[in-house]
């Protein structure tokens, strides 16, 4: 159940569902009439035409239309050139079909007998056994009609019908509770007064003070009854009168070729339930004339099939199992834990960090493929106003590495700050903000002196990147999380910048003169020429060169290397 506060979405609430609520969700208004979404037939689609069957599992009347912008006169109403859509048909002037609710619209199956929900029987709370004051094993014995199937000598009762019991009701009274166990248990819960039950249990607590095991049991029951009263839940709701069916959009079918279709596995489960339910209706109608054996078998099978829908135990011939709802709610990859509570952020990325000496201390090198995904909505917005393209075309255009998009990206990155995090986040210095720069490759280019605050190395460490969107978060990332503010350690007030091994190794390599490369030595009068040759790939970093040097009006040439000239330049700048 979704909770709203006028406008704002507050949260979700899980509750035992009222059967009337299922009918409300499945019913729709159409031409001042209410259409109730009861699925009557087990059929899915007509495999010759590919269209859904009326009152079936994909019925358009119940679950909304299959195809959008179609009319009953079978003419699609959209212009391919302009992509302009019309609400009314040009030919028959009726409203066009719109399948907005196909992924939200529920259906239901009206069950001929109330069936116990297996979660309330074998679940951690064991609601059914607490409310009915009966053991779980005994309840299973009743629900699955084991009285008749376990012992051979009771096979004689299979041949009795309702007329026989009317004549011999006093003699065979004990067998009736086994024959009509679902209905009897349902009526017990329906007639159960929770307030009287609560008072009786409180009296039992006072009388049985010595028996601690029994007291625990009563405490559980009192807590359960209190919850039922507070949330306005009736105890008979743990039985299913109506079985809700998932929207047709969530269990689709697809055409392959040669009248071949792929259909979702849950449809098979629903199909079998409807088949058994319709059969049971037939046997209940002929109860006076036909033996109880047929009715009991169908009841047992219907209970089992609904159990398999909720907790999967049934295995088919090819080791394929049915869809079950237990998987969707249980475990690490469930809907609740993985989707609702999962801390996935849209404006985020993750990659391996590599060293880059050309990056300034306050910057981080963002790869093109990460930055394009981070700023995709902003780029689409820019293209929408500058170029009159479709949104789909814009998104396709962005994925291609075009020069225009790179220009837009560079403009977007100018005033942005990106938050960088390295797991595990043990202290506040594991979360810092940097100015992004577009770089090639697939890794994040990181400033080497910033490693000590993150406790990072360049041996395959990964870092995650987040884009701040709200004004307050942008302000905080610029002010507090900035890399400039994290130079001094908060624990000991010492400078975190250290002479790392990467710097020492780099300087050592750059200062080494390799005398093996004495051939093809260039002579230069100016240092600027060295940079020109180096940038145009004529000279390499380890090449030896002669440079003109003037000291006290004396001119002589000094043997050096390109790497030493580059170090000299950087020392002069900084």
């Amino acid at each position: 159940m979704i909770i709203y506060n006028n406008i704002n979405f507050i949260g979700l609430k899980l509750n035992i569902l009222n059967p009337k609520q299922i009918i409300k969700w499945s019913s729709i208004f159409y031409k001042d009439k209410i259409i109730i979404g009861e699925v009557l037939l087990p059929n899915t689609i007509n495999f010759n035409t590919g269209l859904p069957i009326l009152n079936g599992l994909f019925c358009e009347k119940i679950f909304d239309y299959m195809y959008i912008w179609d009319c009953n006169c079978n003419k699609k109403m959209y212009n391919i050139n302009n992509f302009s859509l019309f609400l009314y048909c040009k030919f028959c002037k009726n409203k066009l079909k719109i399948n907005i609710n196909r992924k939200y619209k529920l259906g239901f199956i009206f069950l001929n007998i109330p069936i116990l929900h297996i979660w309330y029987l074998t679940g951690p709370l064991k609601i059914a056994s607490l409310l009915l004051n009966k053991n779980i094993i005994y309840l299973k014995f009743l629900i699955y009609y084991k009285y008749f199937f376990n012992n051979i000598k009771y096979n004689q009762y299979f041949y009795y019908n309702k007329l026989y019991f009317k004549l011999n009701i006093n003699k065979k009274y004990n067998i009736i509770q086994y024959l009509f166990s679902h209905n009897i248990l349902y009526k017990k819960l329906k007639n159960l007064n929770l307030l009287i039950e609560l008072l009786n249990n409180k009296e039992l607590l006072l009388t049985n003070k010595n028996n601690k095991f029994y007291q625990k049991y009563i405490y559980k029951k009192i807590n359960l009854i209190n919850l039922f009263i507070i949330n306005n839940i009736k105890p008979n709701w743990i039985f299913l009168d109506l079985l809700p069916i998932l929207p047709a959009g969530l269990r689709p079918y697809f055409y392959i070729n040669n009248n071949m279709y792929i259909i979702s596995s849950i449809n098979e489960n629903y199909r079998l339930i409807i088949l058994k339910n319709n059969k049971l209706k037939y046997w209940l109608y002929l109860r006076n004339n036909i033996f109880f054996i047929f009715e009991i078998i169908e009841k047992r099978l219907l209970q089992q099939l609904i159990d398999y829908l909720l907790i999967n135990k049934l295995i088919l011939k090819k080791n394929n199992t049915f869809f079950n709802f237990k998987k969707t709610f249980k475990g690490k990859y469930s809907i609740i834990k993985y989707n609702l509570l999962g801390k996935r952020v849209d404006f985020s990325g993750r990659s391996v960090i590599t060293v880059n000496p050309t990056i300034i201390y306050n910057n981080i090198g963002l790869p093109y493929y990460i930055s394009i995904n981070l700023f995709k909505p902003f780029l689409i917005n820019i293209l929408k106003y500058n170029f009159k393209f479709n949104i789909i075309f814009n998104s396709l255009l962005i994925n291609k590495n075009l020069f225009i998009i790179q220009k837009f990206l560079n403009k977007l990155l100018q005033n942005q700050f990106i938050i960088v995090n390295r797991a595990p986040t043990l202290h506040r210095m594991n979360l810092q903000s940097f100015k992004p720069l577009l770089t090639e490759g697939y890794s994040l280019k990181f400033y080497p002196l910033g490693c000590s605050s993150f406790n990072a190395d360049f041996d395959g460490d990964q870092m995650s990147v987040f884009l701040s969107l709200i004004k307050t978060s942008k302000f905080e990332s610029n002010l507090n999380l900035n890399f400039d503010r994290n130079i001094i350690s908060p624990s000991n007030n010492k400078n975190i910048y250290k002479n790392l091994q990467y710097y020492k190794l780099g300087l050592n390599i750059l200062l080494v003169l390799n005398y093996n490369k004495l051939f093809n030595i260039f002579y230069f009068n100016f240092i600027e020429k060295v940079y020109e040759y180096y940038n145009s790939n004529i000279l390499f970093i380890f090449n030896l060169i002669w440079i003109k040097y003037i000291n006290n009006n004396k001119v002589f040439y000094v043997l050096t290397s390109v790497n030493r000239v580059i170090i000299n330049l950087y020392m002069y700048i900084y």
Side-chain angles (χ1 to χ4, degrees), residues 491-502:
S491 58
N492 51 19
N493 290 331
K494 287 183 180 178
N495 187 7
I496 286 172
Y497 282 5
K498 293 173 185 175
N499 288 324
L500 295 171
Q501 56 186 351
Y502 306 107

PDB file of all heavy atoms in Angstrom, residues 491-502:
ATOM      1  N   SER A 491      43.680  14.433  12.136  1.00  0.00           N
ATOM      2  CA  SER A 491      44.044  13.671  13.344  1.00  0.00           C
ATOM      3  C   SER A 491      45.318  14.198  14.009  1.00  0.00           C
ATOM      4  O   SER A 491      45.391  14.312  15.229  1.00  0.00           O
ATOM      5  CB  SER A 491      44.216  12.194  12.993  1.00  0.00           C
ATOM      6  OG  SER A 491      45.211  12.048  11.996  1.00  0.00           O
ATOM      7  N   ASN A 492      46.337  14.558  13.195  1.00  0.00           N
ATOM      8  CA  ASN A 492      47.618  14.981  13.796  1.00  0.00           C
ATOM      9  C   ASN A 492      48.125  16.331  13.291  1.00  0.00           C
ATOM     10  O   ASN A 492      49.240  16.734  13.620  1.00  0.00           O
ATOM     11  CB  ASN A 492      48.683  13.906  13.564  1.00  0.00           C
ATOM     12  CG  ASN A 492      48.765  13.503  12.104  1.00  0.00           C
ATOM     13  OD1 ASN A 492      48.313  14.231  11.216  1.00  0.00           O
ATOM     14  ND2 ASN A 492      49.331  12.338  11.850  1.00  0.00           N
ATOM     15  N   ASN A 493      47.328  17.036  12.488  1.00  0.00           N
ATOM     16  CA  ASN A 493      47.689  18.359  11.941  1.00  0.00           C
ATOM     17  C   ASN A 493      49.025  18.347  11.187  1.00  0.00           C
ATOM     18  O   ASN A 493      49.809  19.292  11.265  1.00  0.00           O
ATOM     19  CB  ASN A 493      47.726  19.416  13.052  1.00  0.00           C
ATOM     20  CG  ASN A 493      46.340  19.726  13.569  1.00  0.00           C
ATOM     21  OD1 ASN A 493      45.359  19.614  12.834  1.00  0.00           O
ATOM     22  ND2 ASN A 493      46.237  20.095  14.831  1.00  0.00           N
ATOM     23  N   LYS A 494      49.269  17.284  10.470  1.00  0.00           N
ATOM     24  CA  LYS A 494      50.492  17.178   9.675  1.00  0.00           C
ATOM     25  C   LYS A 494      50.148  17.188   8.191  1.00  0.00           C
ATOM     26  O   LYS A 494      49.048  16.809   7.791  1.00  0.00           O
ATOM     27  CB  LYS A 494      51.245  15.888  10.017  1.00  0.00           C
ATOM     28  CG  LYS A 494      51.930  15.950  11.372  1.00  0.00           C
ATOM     29  CD  LYS A 494      52.717  14.685  11.622  1.00  0.00           C
ATOM     30  CE  LYS A 494      53.400  14.731  12.983  1.00  0.00           C
ATOM     31  NZ  LYS A 494      54.148  13.484  13.265  1.00  0.00           N
ATOM     32  N   ASN A 495      51.121  17.588   7.418  1.00  0.00           N
ATOM     33  CA  ASN A 495      50.934  17.642   5.968  1.00  0.00           C
ATOM     34  C   ASN A 495      50.850  16.217   5.399  1.00  0.00           C
ATOM     35  O   ASN A 495      51.694  15.373   5.694  1.00  0.00           O
ATOM     36  CB  ASN A 495      52.105  18.399   5.339  1.00  0.00           C
ATOM     37  CG  ASN A 495      51.875  18.643   3.862  1.00  0.00           C
ATOM     38  OD1 ASN A 495      50.807  18.377   3.328  1.00  0.00           O
ATOM     39  ND2 ASN A 495      52.889  19.156   3.198  1.00  0.00           N
ATOM     40  N   ILE A 496      49.811  16.007   4.594  1.00  0.00           N
ATOM     41  CA  ILE A 496      49.604  14.671   4.023  1.00  0.00           C
ATOM     42  C   ILE A 496      50.459  14.462   2.772  1.00  0.00           C
ATOM     43  O   ILE A 496      50.814  13.338   2.445  1.00  0.00           O
ATOM     44  CB  ILE A 496      48.101  14.453   3.722  1.00  0.00           C
ATOM     45  CG1 ILE A 496      47.355  14.242   5.037  1.00  0.00           C
ATOM     46  CG2 ILE A 496      47.855  13.258   2.831  1.00  0.00           C
ATOM     47  CD1 ILE A 496      45.869  14.212   4.913  1.00  0.00           C
ATOM     48  N   TYR A 497      50.811  15.550   2.107  1.00  0.00           N
ATOM     49  CA  TYR A 497      51.632  15.426   0.894  1.00  0.00           C
ATOM     50  C   TYR A 497      52.994  14.829   1.240  1.00  0.00           C
ATOM     51  O   TYR A 497      53.708  15.329   2.095  1.00  0.00           O
ATOM     52  CB  TYR A 497      51.843  16.800   0.253  1.00  0.00           C
ATOM     53  CG  TYR A 497      50.667  17.307  -0.544  1.00  0.00           C
ATOM     54  CD1 TYR A 497      49.474  16.607  -0.588  1.00  0.00           C
ATOM     55  CD2 TYR A 497      50.755  18.487  -1.269  1.00  0.00           C
ATOM     56  CE1 TYR A 497      48.402  17.071  -1.317  1.00  0.00           C
ATOM     57  CE2 TYR A 497      49.690  18.967  -2.003  1.00  0.00           C
ATOM     58  CZ  TYR A 497      48.518  18.250  -2.021  1.00  0.00           C
ATOM     59  OH  TYR A 497      47.456  18.702  -2.742  1.00  0.00           O
ATOM     60  N   LYS A 498      53.338  13.768   0.576  1.00  0.00           N
ATOM     61  CA  LYS A 498      54.610  13.090   0.834  1.00  0.00           C
ATOM     62  C   LYS A 498      55.352  12.864  -0.475  1.00  0.00           C
ATOM     63  O   LYS A 498      54.741  12.781  -1.534  1.00  0.00           O
ATOM     64  CB  LYS A 498      54.360  11.729   1.503  1.00  0.00           C
ATOM     65  CG  LYS A 498      53.782  11.826   2.895  1.00  0.00           C
ATOM     66  CD  LYS A 498      53.405  10.444   3.397  1.00  0.00           C
ATOM     67  CE  LYS A 498      52.719  10.533   4.749  1.00  0.00           C
ATOM     68  NZ  LYS A 498      52.252   9.209   5.197  1.00  0.00           N
ATOM     69  N   ASN A 499      56.685  12.748  -0.357  1.00  0.00           N
ATOM     70  CA  ASN A 499      57.471  12.370  -1.533  1.00  0.00           C
ATOM     71  C   ASN A 499      57.259  10.880  -1.798  1.00  0.00           C
ATOM     72  O   ASN A 499      57.909  10.035  -1.191  1.00  0.00           O
ATOM     73  CB  ASN A 499      58.957  12.664  -1.295  1.00  0.00           C
ATOM     74  CG  ASN A 499      59.220  14.147  -1.315  1.00  0.00           C
ATOM     75  OD1 ASN A 499      58.602  14.870  -2.090  1.00  0.00           O
ATOM     76  ND2 ASN A 499      60.118  14.600  -0.466  1.00  0.00           N
ATOM     77  N   LEU A 500      56.360  10.623  -2.679  1.00  0.00           N
ATOM     78  CA  LEU A 500      56.018   9.230  -2.951  1.00  0.00           C
ATOM     79  C   LEU A 500      57.078   8.561  -3.814  1.00  0.00           C
ATOM     80  O   LEU A 500      57.883   9.224  -4.477  1.00  0.00           O
ATOM     81  CB  LEU A 500      54.664   9.150  -3.652  1.00  0.00           C
ATOM     82  CG  LEU A 500      53.452   9.615  -2.842  1.00  0.00           C
ATOM     83  CD1 LEU A 500      52.240   9.676  -3.737  1.00  0.00           C
ATOM     84  CD2 LEU A 500      53.176   8.651  -1.705  1.00  0.00           C
ATOM     85  N   GLN A 501      57.018   7.250  -3.837  1.00  0.00           N
ATOM     86  CA  GLN A 501      57.968   6.462  -4.628  1.00  0.00           C
ATOM     87  C   GLN A 501      57.823   6.739  -6.121  1.00  0.00           C
ATOM     88  O   GLN A 501      58.796   6.661  -6.867  1.00  0.00           O
ATOM     89  CB  GLN A 501      57.758   4.977  -4.352  1.00  0.00           C
ATOM     90  CG  GLN A 501      56.335   4.507  -4.607  1.00  0.00           C
ATOM     91  CD  GLN A 501      56.108   3.073  -4.192  1.00  0.00           C
ATOM     92  OE1 GLN A 501      57.050   2.381  -3.863  1.00  0.00           O
ATOM     93  NE2 GLN A 501      54.863   2.642  -4.212  1.00  0.00           N
ATOM     94  N   TYR A 502      56.594   7.109  -6.519  1.00  0.00           N
ATOM     95  CA  TYR A 502      56.359   7.380  -7.939  1.00  0.00           C
ATOM     96  C   TYR A 502      57.155   8.600  -8.392  1.00  0.00           C
ATOM     97  O   TYR A 502      57.716   8.627  -9.482  1.00  0.00           O
ATOM     98  CB  TYR A 502      54.865   7.592  -8.204  1.00  0.00           C
ATOM     99  CG  TYR A 502      53.995   6.469  -7.706  1.00  0.00           C
ATOM    100  CD1 TYR A 502      53.198   6.631  -6.578  1.00  0.00           C
ATOM    101  CD2 TYR A 502      53.989   5.246  -8.359  1.00  0.00           C
ATOM    102  CE1 TYR A 502      52.410   5.600  -6.113  1.00  0.00           C
ATOM    103  CE2 TYR A 502      53.205   4.203  -7.903  1.00  0.00           C
ATOM    104  CZ  TYR A 502      52.415   4.388  -6.777  1.00  0.00           C
ATOM    105  OH  TYR A 502      51.644   3.365  -6.323  1.00  0.00           O
TER     106      TYR A 502
END
